[in-house]
Structures are given as structure tokens and as C-alpha cells.
Amino acid sequence: MNQVDLVIRGARVVSDHQIIEASVAIDGEIIVAVGHDDLMPSAREVLQADGLFLLPGAIDSHVHFRDPGYPHKETWKTGSAAAACGGVTTVFEMPNTNPPTATIDALNLKLKAAESSYVDFGIHGLLGDDTVGHLEELIDAGVTSFKAFVGNTFGNLPSPSDGALLEGFEKLAPLGIRTVVHAENSSILARRQKRMQAEGRIDALAHLAARPVVAEIEAIGRVLTLAEWTGARVHIAHHSAADSLFLIREAKRRGVDVTVETCPQYLLLNTDHADHLGGILRLNPPIREARHNQPLWDAMMDGTIDMIATDHAPHAPDEKTRANIWECDCGFPGIETQMALMLTEVNRDRASLMDYVRWSSVNPAKAWGIYGTKGVIAPGAHADIAVVDMNKSGILSENELQSISKISPWDGRAVKGYPIHTLLRGRFVMRNGKLVTEAAGWGRSVKGIQAMPKAKPLNTEHYTSAILKTPEGVRLTAEPKR
Ligand SMILES: [Zn+2]
């Protein structure tokens, strides 16, 4: 083999099923060899990584980079810089920007903004009543997947009607494209919020009271019913409750192609933190009582929940710290702190590094059809690597975040286990804990490598597209009796 660009030696390489001592050779954007150091080609650069672990870069299925529309909260450049510094090499970005990613023009604006990205990306287009007729055009123009805001959240995009959601699934099922669903029942939470506002409840816990577990149970049940009927692939965003896990377990047992994410905040935070965090903690679905934390962990371990995402949802500090909970924007940044938080739990023996790689890289790559090129450290794959020091300790600080949104519930939290270098397609985007600013714009869409498994549409004879024409030989109405 000719001389290659980079060999990383001395580290251990982690997959979802093994940890091996191996060197990794990278040429251009691609991993060309993984194996014994004696077998490595000569390289222009060697990274000595003794004692460190090489993880496939994390793939975050759920981020809001707020661009276009809200550049005071975040931009593609700052959000993706946060990703790079958090060991994240691919993100899937949400459509509740302004304009929302519901038209070709809006998509093109977003793709333009994403040209400054440090990391690779997919774009979730909006699935709603107004877009159902244009899903294929959006896919052709660069959308990788869709998002349906069945539950309302920041941006207040109207929830799709059940009819539109069904027709959307009918259109996407034959294409094999997966739809992310924010699964809360909007009618329930809007009514309860209004009732409490009328009575003057403005405390932090009122937000949780407005969005009870039953709103999640009902919405997940409805979405799974429509997905199972049509054969559409769905992805449940930010699963927050213990009580709705049974629906996922039963659906998976029946063969429904549903993937599920949860986020560090649902695993590690609960209402015990609400007193001192107040509006900072406000997000959708809400942070719930402590009794939900462990069942969500258990569901990660048994495969009911497939992956860890962050719902990176930045806002300006003054938008998070108002006295009235209803005036605090929902969400907080998380992409930069996810890996350190989760590695800390690995260091506490709550999961193995292989479990973590399954949640952070392998399963998201499979869900979005990019596994093999991403999600794995193997010859032929993109050289997307988080180099991790499991012994590095520190205190998370919101002031050190790359994100514009310098307000985080994780501020002051002790962690052990950090990404210290991040490589995206062979290039350092974070090195020695510092952003490599020249790498802005190195990120690109994963659309070109996306290959979803074969689609399995069901009940197609009942699809809206199949019922629009009167069948031959069928009478229009019963003939009147004379
Ligand atoms: Zn979100």
C-alpha cells in the first residue's frame, strides 16, 4: 500500500459487539485498514493514542440549528461546531425553522445555511397537511427523512391532522423513508395549559402538569397504529415516559419498523431538579418524575429504545429565565455534552462502551440508511471517529459551549470521559479539545450515501391513491325503485 494520510496507533477500537486493540489507517476521507500495527502502511502523520478509545463518531438524529430564522439562538456554524466538539460527526436537523422546511425554497435556504457546517448532516422535512402533496419533490431536492409535530412545540407548527398523517405514511411507506414523530397529543396539552393559565398557575411544574404521560401514550399508540397499517417506518422522538414503553415493545414484537430515541435529560434529570433550574428545564416532552429514569435505562439496555439523541434545542438565556413558565422557550442545548454525560455513566458501569456505540452510532446509522459508510470503524467506511479519553474528568460549563445558547441544565455537573479529538471523513474538526476553525464547511449532506432497506408497504389497496378513481363497472348509486 502506498503512503496514507494518517495512522492512529495504540488505541482500542470500539464497535457495538467488541473492543479490540488495533491501529487504524486513513487515506483521504476513508478508513483503509484496521488491524495490527505491524500491518499498517506508512503514513504522513501518526496520532499516538495510547490508552484512548476510538468510537465511531456519534450520529445525532435530533437537533435544531435554528437556521434560517433564529440566528440569535443558534446557526449552522455554531451548532455544528458544538457537534464537532461533542464527538458528533453527523446530525439530522429539524424543520421548525423560519421558514419551516416545508417547501423547496425553504429547503434550499437551509441547505445554503448548512454549507458552513463542521459535520455531515441529514435534513428532516416537514410532514404536515400542507406538505403531504409534495413529499417526493422534497425528497428529490435533498430531504433525507421527515418530521411530524404531532405534539406542538417551539415554532408552533400546526400538528398534522390524522388524515394527513395517514396519507403521508401512505406516500412514504413505499419509499421506505422514515418519519420522526413528536408524539404528544396536542389537544390535551393545549387545553390543560389554557386551564392552568386561566387559574394563574405559572410555576415550573405547571409545564409537566400540562403534558401528562397519557398525552404521550395516546399519541404513540395512534402513530404506531397508522404506521403498522401502512407499513411506514417511524421514529419516536425524545421518548420520556416509562408508562408508554409497553406500546413500543408490543409494536416491535409485531414487526412494526419503529425506532426510538431518548435523550440524556430523560435518563439523568427529573423533577427533583426543577426547583433550582426552573424554566431552564422546560422542554417538550417535559422532564418527568424520578420514577421514569431507570425504566428508560432498562429500555435502552433491552433494545426497546434504540438510540441516544439530544434534541439540541438552543435559546437565548433571557428566553429561558422568565418568571412565568409559559414564557420560557422550550428546550436547551445538548449536542456538545451528550457524549461526556453518557461516558460518565459508562464509567459508573451503567452500560458498556459497546452499548454506548450501539446507541450513539450504530442504531442511528441503520435507522437513516447510512450504516456501513457511517456508524462503524472498518475499511471502506468514512473516517468519522471520536477519540475518547475515559479517564479525563471535568466539570461541564455552559460558558464554554460552542453553542450560542450559553444556558444548560448540565452546568456545573461533574463528568468523567471526554471526546478529545473528532475526525470527520479523515479531517480533524476538533483536536485536543479545541474546534478546528478551518474545518467550517467540511460537512456535507448524507443524502448521497443514504440507502434505506427495501420498503414494505402494507394495505396498499386502501391507500388514498388507490381509492380516488371509481372502479370500472361499479354503479354510481343504487338505481331508484320505480
Ligand atoms: Zn426537538
Side-chain angles (χ1 to χ4, degrees):
M1 206 182 292
N2 292 330
Q3 195 179 41
V4 299
D5 287 325
L6 176 68
V7 167
I8 306 174
R9 56 166 54 120
R12 277 169 281 181
V13 176
V14 186
S15 74
D16 58 342
H17 58 278
Q18 63 180 3
I19 300 177
I20 55 167
E21 283 182 27
S23 293
V24 174
I26 295 164
D27 200 38
E29 301 186 2
I30 305 293
I31 294 167
V32 292
V34 179
H36 196 280
D37 198 54
D38 295 346
L39 302 173
M40 290 298 114
S42 71
R44 276 175 275 279
E45 186 185 352
V46 170
L47 179 69
Q48 200 66 41
D50 301 47
L52 304 178
F53 292 88
L54 308 186
L55 277 52
I59 298 170
D60 194 333
S61 302
H62 190 154
V63 308
H64 302 264
F65 284 169
R66 306 298 190 206
D67 192 1
Y70 311 96
H72 71 289
K73 295 175 188 282
E74 196 75 289
T75 65
W76 266 87
K77 196 168 179 181
T78 55
S80 66
C85 289
V88 178
T89 48
T90 302
V91 298
F92 285 80
E93 210 267 348
M94 288 294 172
N96 56 335
T97 40
N98 190 11
T101 317
T103 63
I104 306 291
D105 285 349
L107 173 63
N108 286 336
L109 276 179
K110 180 160 287 187
L111 290 171
K112 186 84 197 148
E115 284 177 6
S116 59
S117 184
Y118 284 91
V119 299
D120 283 356
F121 53 87
I123 304 286
H124 297 308
L126 183 69
L127 173 51
D129 284 59
D130 297 337
T131 66
V132 168
H134 312 286
L135 300 180
E136 291 198 35
E137 293 151 48
L138 285 165
I139 294 166
D140 290 345
V143 153
T144 48
S145 37
F146 287 90
K147 169 79 179 277
F149 290 92
V150 169
N152 277 123
T153 191
F154 178 76
N156 270 323
L157 298 175
S159 302
S161 63
D162 294 341
L165 195 59
L166 176 61
E167 191 172 342
F169 284 0
E170 290 170 355
K171 294 210 162 149
L172 294 174
L175 304 174
I177 294 287
R178 193 176 297 279
T179 303
V180 183
V181 181
H182 179 138
E184 286 185 288
N185 178 308
S186 275
S187 165
I188 290 176
L189 51 94
R191 184 181 177 91
R192 289 167 72 95
Q193 177 172 335
K194 235 186 228 162
R195 295 273 287 117
M196 282 188 287
Q197 282 172 318
E199 296 297 320
R201 259 199 87 171
I202 57 165
D203 58 288
L205 286 176
H207 178 66
L208 169 61
R211 305 177 89 110
V213 168
V214 70
E216 186 169 299
I217 296 174
E218 190 284 329
I220 289 176
R222 179 160 35 112
V223 165
L224 290 176
T225 300
L226 301 183
E228 182 165 17
W229 175 259
T230 54
R233 296 193 164 108
V234 289
H235 176 80
I236 304 298
H238 39 47
H239 194 108
S240 72
D243 313 56
S244 44
L245 288 167
F246 80 99
L247 288 163
I248 307 285
R249 292 199 170 101
E250 288 175 3
K252 285 193 169 187
R253 206 175 296 136
R254 289 199 303 274
V256 180
D257 192 340
V258 53
T259 52
V260 184
E261 71 185 33
T262 192
C263 312
Q265 53 267 33
Y266 300 109
L267 296 167
L268 301 173
L269 298 179
N270 55 59
T271 48
D272 299 346
H273 304 91
D275 268 358
H276 66 284
L277 287 170
I280 298 173
L281 217 53
R282 187 179 187 215
L283 85 161
N284 301 322
I287 300 290
R288 301 188 188 280
E289 299 84 351
R291 73 173 178 88
H292 294 277
N293 295 146
Q294 187 58 44
L296 291 174
W297 266 109
D298 296 342
M300 299 268 288
M301 294 303 293
D302 73 19
T304 306
I305 295 176
D306 301 273
M307 67 188 79
I308 194 86
T310 64
D311 193 4
H312 177 82
H315 297 286
D318 66 292
E319 296 167 331
K320 292 295 293 171
T321 50
R322 296 165 180 150
N324 180 338
I325 190 67
W326 309 117
E327 291 169 6
C328 297
D329 278 345
C330 293
F332 45 76
I335 199 166
E336 206 167 339
T337 47
Q338 177 270 114
M339 192 173 283
L341 287 163
M342 294 299 290
L343 295 179
T344 303
E345 301 306 308
V346 170
N347 265 326
R348 288 188 180 130
D349 285 334
R350 293 188 78 185
S352 71
L353 264 180
M354 295 174 283
D355 292 326
Y356 175 69
V357 163
R358 190 172 73 247
W359 302 331
S360 68
S361 301
V362 175
N363 284 348
K366 287 179 176 170
W368 308 115
I370 56 176
Y371 184 71
T373 305
K374 297 191 179 291
V376 63
I377 296 175
H382 282 176
D384 296 357
I385 298 174
V387 183
V388 161
D389 183 348
M390 289 301 286
N391 293 316
K392 184 180 173 189
S393 299
I395 307 286
L396 296 177
S397 163
E398 57 194 11
N399 294 320
E400 288 168 15
L401 296 176
Q402 295 290 334
S403 178
I404 290 175
S405 172
K406 304 243 183 310
I407 187 152
S408 163
W410 308 111
D411 188 52
R413 192 174 175 104
V415 291
K416 186 177 177 190
Y418 271 96
I420 55 170
H421 313 293
T422 307
L423 285 134
L424 171 68
R425 284 182 282 104
R427 185 163 174 184
F428 284 92
V429 291
M430 190 255 289
R431 189 159 198 169
N432 294 314
K434 295 220 162 43
L435 181 68
V436 178
T437 52
E438 310 88 87
W442 180 237
R444 67 179 183 221
S445 171
V446 299
K447 181 77 182 172
I449 58 167
Q450 190 184 29
M452 296 298 287
K454 194 174 174 328
K456 292 177 189 162
L458 296 170
N459 294 306
T460 52
E461 69 276 25
H462 300 294
Y463 279 13
T464 309
S465 57
I467 60 166
L468 296 179
K469 287 207 182 83
T470 309
E472 299 275 330
V474 171
R475 286 178 303 180
L476 293 182
T477 59
E479 279 171 31
K481 285 197 173 135
R482 289 170 198 268

